[in-house]
Amino acid sequence: MPLRELRNAFRRLLSRPAYAALSVVVLSLGLGACLFMLSVVDGLILRPLPFPDSDRLVAIGHAREGSGGIGALRSRDYARIVGELRSVDRIGQWEEMSIAVSRGGAQAATRYAGSSLSASMPGLLGMQPALGRAFSELDDRPGAELTLLLSDTVWREDFDASPDVLGTQLVVNGEPAIIIGVMPPGFAFPFVGEAWLPRRFAVEDGIETQVMARLAADANLPQLRAELDALALRLGSELEGARDNRRLNAVPVTQRFVSQTTRQYLWLMLGAGALVLLLACANAANLQLVQAISRQRELAVRSALGASRAGLLREMLSESLILSLVACAIALLLAHLGVAWLMAVLTASGDAPPYFVQLGVDLRLLGFALLAAFLTTAIAGLAPALRASRVDVQIALRDGDKGSGGGFARLARGLVLAEIALTVVLLVGAGTLVRGLQQVMAFDFGTRADPDSILTARVGLFSGEELSAAQLNQFFERVTQRLRENPQVLAVSAATALPGTMGDGHEMVAAEGQYAGEQSALQAQHARIDDGFLETYGIRLIAGRAFDARDQADSEPVVIIDRRMADRLWPGRDAVGQGLLINPQREKLERATVVGVTDALHLEDADDPVLPILLVPMRQHAVRFATLAVRLAGDAQDFAPQLSAAVRAENAEVPVYWVQTQADAIRAGRVGPVILTQLFGALGLLALLLAAVGLYGVLAFVVAQREREIGIRRAIGADHRSVVLSVAGRLGVQVAVGMSIGLLLALPWSALLESPELQTRGLDPVVFLAVAVLVVLMAAFACLVPLRCALRIHPSQALRSD
């Protein structure tokens, strides 16, 4: 396309600045929203993992019936099946863990986010150290000398990027270790890993392990699943997972990092982004058509004077190209800002995506954006140019720019219907999620203490020596006692749970004498707590007592349950004093006596399933890792140095990490629903804005087209009411029809968004009613300026302009 035509097109657009600016804004907003959503879906779902043969990598684990996810394998189950799998040609293990590195002296150990990897994992991931070597089979043997791999970031920041770091002796998790390698820049498996240890897998450890495998060249996922089903059938209750009512399963490894539930919501978000793009395209097309109708006389005259159809087409194409390029540039900026915002929010919440996920707009997405923008503007702009060469000049000169526009006007009105319908669909989705978020934010975790007044921190005893249960308990008791002596402290606790964000896993429970198989057992959230847990978090005890000095390691096992469990197992009866069976499906039977019942309690995130609660005393179930919680009279954040000092006073090498208030921890746990709601809400508001722009543009054009008619009506005595009804009446019908279509389309859309986790309700009448009212108000607001212009038309001015 000649540069001269582009310059002429640019001047023509400058002569219509309002139209050009509005077209660019509409297209860039729609494209930006869709590009942002598409870049997220592409990065998390569509783009292949940067591992060799990534399409053949699978995760193997246990899954509960009806669950789309997958969990870890117990070590004994892994040992039973690993030699039986013929559908895989390579298999590896990994598990996330905290790694405490001490470089000697009285300095506290540095805690790194890390993992343990089997020797086969670097090969599966296709990553070898940039410096030194990877784990060998010798490193991976149980009892072997401990070796350590560092991330490039840790090597540069904490070891001054020294090439002599190899062979450095350290103390890692209380055990002597040697650095053998530094991983290449960017490697942070599985999520934000900073250091790695060999797996040193031992069957008798009874631990859980994450399993990754590569399918054999002649095998596929259904074959592997059939193989696992056959193994499960043959081994039966020999599999520990089967005793916990879990089944063997295999899924593509991508689902291990991005769950099926997350994928479903991402697709819904992309669908919403596509709807916004459709709405923007309809709006841009409408603007083009309105302009085309107003230029019919000009185009027809130019055609009659000898302008070729090809010349008119080039004019329209050059204008479309300029609008498309400008809109795409702005859309790319908007998409980039959206991705940066999303990554910042996720990183701040501690829920960053896997390190290998790259969010952003690449050449493929850029090509899609350019194509969408150009097709929208070109198709809408070419149609009038094609028609212009066939328009009768006499008719065009007689009707001028005041005609109805014929088919174009009807098409413009049809596009308005589509805009309103799409807006209703998007607003229903946004309203459904906003209502759900209100429920999530108001969720009652069962704690009565102000979460902003409670400072929490994770503490772990990484010592490599074998510590007795008494030694572990004494450490946490001394730390909590030291904190309790501070006058600012109102209450203090050590536990494996942090209400509102973290439990200690799930257990199956049943009432003593009532267990009759797996169907009669309940799944419960489990946590180990000390004597101050209930007081610190303000958890109300409705029956019995809290744990105290009577509950020692050698005394009768006891538990505290919440009201939900008491009502399920002993309805209408006093639960205190009753016998409870813990994991009755396992070979080793655990029995405990209920000594207390709390109000309904929830330990995990608000969007996690609500389950009965099982609390056991730490004195009877000692732990190495616990969450310290300190309820304070003053500002909780200001107490962080004193909390760390209390821990260091007992053991200078124990790292203190994840220091935050309970309120911050709860907010981090809600980040998923909050982001989802914010995105859908933004898309809904954007749709409302675009629809308002579309209605305004159409009605403003109608007023301009009917200026002469309105003037005559005013001259013969028409009042304001009749003018308004004449101008806006047909548009009101369009709004009603478009809204009705949108509400019908929103019915299945709303049902898709129903989720117990997000506490959203499909087909919510409150949402549908609110959306209808909002659309009507939007339409009325969009009509104000054009109607005001119509009412200000003077009869003499209208007749003179004709």
Side-chain angles (χ1 to χ4, degrees), residues 287-296 299 316 380-381 384 408:
L287 289 170
Q288 289 271 55
L289 288 172
V290 166
Q291 285 294 311
I293 295 170
S294 66
R295 295 180 64 191
Q296 284 298 290
L299 295 174
M316 293 298 179
F408 288 155

Side-chain angles (χ1 to χ4, degrees), residues 651-708:
N651 189 326
E653 294 188 356
V654 172
V656 180
Y657 51 100
W658 297 345
V659 181
Q660 59 187 334
T661 65
Q662 186 195 8
D664 288 337
I666 291 173
R667 278 190 286 270
R670 289 170 170 166
V671 69
V674 169
I675 288 177
L676 192 63
T677 302
Q678 288 177 340
L679 290 176
F680 268 93
L683 291 175
L685 292 176
L686 180 57
L688 195 66
L689 174 63
L690 292 175
V693 169
L695 288 173
Y696 168 81
V698 169
L699 193 59
F701 172 72
V702 167
V703 171
Q705 292 290 99
R706 298 179 61 187
E707 182 178 346
R708 180 172 178 272

Side-chain angles (χ1 to χ4, degrees), residues 225-247:
R225 286 173 173 166
E227 200 172 6
L228 292 172
D229 289 341
L231 280 172
L233 184 63
R234 177 163 60 85
L235 296 173
S237 60
E238 291 183 35
L239 292 173
E240 294 183 26
R243 292 177 229 152
D244 292 342
N245 198 27
R246 297 190 293 174
R247 61 184 178 84

Side-chain angles (χ1 to χ4, degrees), residues 90 118-120 133-142 144:
R90 193 182 186 104
S118 65
S120 57
R133 65 175 179 88
F135 299 130
S136 67
E137 296 292 340
L138 294 177
D139 296 315
D140 210 14
R141 293 180 306 172

Side-chain angles (χ1 to χ4, degrees), residues 363-555:
L363 291 177
R364 296 173 301 129
L365 301 186
L366 176 60
F368 163 79
L370 285 169
L371 183 63
F374 184 72
L375 286 179
T376 299
T377 54
I379 291 173
L382 286 176
L386 290 172
R387 180 176 174 179
S389 60
R390 300 193 299 269
V391 172
D392 189 292
V393 179
Q394 293 182 355
I395 296 175
L397 291 173
R398 184 181 68 237
D399 292 344
D401 295 336
K402 311 299 183 187
S404 66
F408 288 155
R410 287 191 293 273
L411 181 55
R413 290 193 292 269
L415 288 173
V416 169
L417 289 179
E419 291 176 34
I420 295 171
L422 291 174
T423 299
V424 169
V425 172
L426 286 165
L427 286 175
V428 166
T432 299
L433 287 168
V434 168
R435 289 267 288 175
L437 182 63
Q438 289 175 343
Q439 299 297 318
V440 170
M441 299 303 285
F443 189 89
D444 184 4
F445 294 102
T447 59
R448 299 293 173 261
D450 179 6
D452 281 307
S453 70
I454 299 175
L455 184 67
T456 69
R458 192 71 170 172
V459 172
L461 284 166
F462 290 90
S463 175
E465 63 184 79
E466 288 298 326
L467 298 177
S468 66
Q471 289 174 310
L472 294 172
N473 285 327
Q474 286 169 8
F475 169 78
F476 289 109
E477 287 172 0
R478 289 196 302 268
V479 170
T480 53
Q481 179 57 38
R482 184 179 292 274
L483 289 167
R484 198 172 287 115
E485 293 170 355
N486 190 301
Q488 298 180 58
V489 174
L490 302 177
V492 62
S493 167
T496 57
L498 176 53
T501 184
M502 181 179 66
D504 189 22
H506 296 165
E507 306 287 359
M508 302 301 292
V509 297
E512 188 175 25
Q514 298 180 21
Y515 181 67
E518 295 173 354
Q519 300 304 318
S520 62
L522 298 179
Q523 186 182 11
Q525 291 178 0
H526 172 263
R528 288 165 277 191
I529 67 172
D530 69 355
D531 300 352
F533 182 80
L534 302 184
E535 180 188 4
T536 301
Y537 290 103
I539 299 169
R540 191 166 66 98
L541 196 66
I542 60 176
R545 65 174 178 87
F547 296 139
D548 55 31
R550 288 171 284 181
D551 307 312
Q552 298 295 328
D554 55 355
S555 60

Side-chain angles (χ1 to χ4, degrees), residues 167-184:
T168 301
Q169 297 283 341
L170 303 167
V171 176
V172 177
N173 290 358
E175 183 179 350
I178 183 172
I179 298 176
I180 62 169
V182 177
M183 298 304 285

